[in-house]
Amino acid sequence: MDPATAVVGAALSDRGEEVFDLFRRPKGRSRTRPDERAAIENARTSELTVNGKVAVVYRWGDGERPVLLVHGWESRASRYAKAVARLLELGYSPVSFDAPGHGEATGDSTTLLEYRDIITELHRVHGDFEAVVAHSFGVTATFFSLRYGVRTGRIVAISTVPDFTYLVDAFSAGMGLEPHLKEELRGRIERDVYPGEADMWTRFSVFHESARVQIPLLVIHDEEDGMVDAGQGRRVAEAFGARLVTTRRFGHRRILGSPQVIDEIANFMTSDVTEAGRKTEVATG
């Protein structure tokens, strides 16, 4: 047996919590970078309690034309500092948050369900969003939230994690897990992280009920993304008939501060996209 398989197999059998924690606990909190501090210091902040944990909400602008910015796993709202500045210049009001276990929020863990609860509450407070800009796991959470009443005029999906199946498949491939160990991992996630969530492997996907998502979509992905391969960006763009922008040399995280990406977001926000005024029409559940 391969040593990696043996180690992970033992972990799944004897220390399963340590393994499936990879799917609910960020390994660490990224810190605000020097070039992000001004944006965070200029934000109006508040707290939002979800599942006993406190998320931190950041707001800029006058509240008109809200744009939601959703960060990814092991990230934080401050990563959108450059996007915030450009959106303010264009007359939008950015809104973002640090999810539990991230940034300045409390707790050491979070789930897709908590992301959804935060996003739906921000939608209740701010009304329909002009757009949602999401990164990585935040894209998964955004599409999941659409099925719970969140409405937006358009979406920018950056470095998309397409679904939970991809997460497990990529992790298993990276660890060289045998098929039965991958199935054990899936079972532990179902039982211990998302108990009671029927058919989660279908529902926790950007492709679920995709025909109902009639929203202009821009997909951006870096060809050298070491965390989510660029083929996933192409897969999402093809599924939704969306425009795909590919970058190089920014990887999975630095892409958010790329001048090219900020320009693409701004151009998409201000362009006359076909059916740009349509809102989401997705069944709840």
Side-chain angles (χ1 to χ4, degrees):
M1 179 182 294
D2 178 83
T5 299
V7 170
V8 177
L12 288 172
S13 299
D14 303 325
R15 293 180 289 109
E17 184 171 352
E18 295 179 19
V19 176
F20 68 70
D21 262 0
L22 294 171
F23 296 88
R24 66 178 180 180
R25 279 196 172 87
K27 289 183 294 184
R29 293 177 187 255
S30 59
R31 297 185 178 184
T32 302
R33 298 168 181 163
D35 61 349
E36 300 169 350
R37 288 174 186 157
I40 294 301
E41 289 171 356
N42 290 330
R44 298 186 303 281
T45 62
S46 59
E47 296 182 343
L48 191 165
T49 300
V50 54
N51 199 24
K53 309 166 196 172
V54 177
V56 178
V57 177
Y58 304 88
R59 299 175 174 87
W60 297 265
D62 59 9
E64 297 296 319
R65 307 175 73 196
V67 175
L68 180 64
L69 309 173
V70 185
H71 70 73
W73 198 253
E74 297 176 1
S75 188
R76 58 189 298 146
S78 65
R79 294 295 179 261
Y80 283 109
K82 291 183 174 62
V84 166
R86 181 65 69 85
L87 290 168
L88 287 171
E89 290 174 359
L90 295 173
Y92 295 99
S93 296
V95 180
S96 193
F97 61 91
D98 289 339
H102 295 76
E104 303 304 315
T106 68
D108 63 358
S109 66
T110 194
T111 65
L112 183 71
L113 305 180
E114 292 175 356
Y115 264 77
R116 175 203 62 193
D117 291 347
I118 294 168
I119 293 170
T120 54
E121 175 61 15
L122 293 177
H123 177 259
R124 185 191 69 78
V125 171
H126 295 278
D128 292 358
F129 298 111
E130 292 280 328
V132 177
V133 180
H135 176 246
S136 191
F137 182 78
V139 181
T140 321
T142 294
F143 276 83
F144 185 57
S145 299
L146 298 181
R147 296 193 290 277
Y148 291 83
V150 173
R151 292 165 60 91
T152 181
R154 56 188 78 187
I155 295 174
V156 180
I158 306 170
S159 309
T160 302
V161 171
D163 47 41
F164 270 43
T165 297
Y166 175 79
L167 288 174
V168 173
D169 286 349
F171 174 81
S172 299
M175 294 298 296
L177 296 191
E178 295 177 358
H180 74 280
L181 291 177
K182 183 170 77 171
E183 287 307 307
E184 173 65 12
L185 176 59
R186 285 171 60 101
R188 285 187 177 273
I189 293 170
E190 292 172 2
R191 295 190 302 271
D192 300 316
V193 184
Y194 292 97
E197 290 296 321
D199 201 20
M200 58 166 284
W201 304 103
T202 298
R203 292 170 51 239
F204 293 2
S205 170
V206 302
F207 304 113
H208 183 51
E209 299 183 341
S210 60
R212 295 177 177 268
V213 182
Q214 301 294 318
I215 311 170
L217 171 67
L218 173 64
V219 179
I220 305 175
H221 214 110
D222 195 85
E223 290 287 354
E224 299 172 20
D225 189 324
M227 298 184 70
V228 182
D229 70 81
Q232 300 307 312
R234 289 189 288 272
R235 181 183 169 206
V236 172
E238 290 171 2
F240 290 92
R243 177 169 174 253
L244 171 65
V245 172
T246 57
T247 60
R248 292 185 183 277
R249 298 186 300 277
F250 296 118
H252 187 72
R253 300 189 186 280
R254 290 192 301 118
I255 192 170
L256 287 180
S258 158
Q260 176 187 348
V261 169
I262 301 303
D263 286 344
E264 290 288 354
I265 293 172
N267 292 338
F268 182 65
M269 291 294 301
T270 57
S271 64
D272 183 15
V273 180
T274 302
E275 296 186 308
R278 295 186 64 174
K279 304 293 183 181
T280 58
E281 298 177 359
V282 183
T284 299

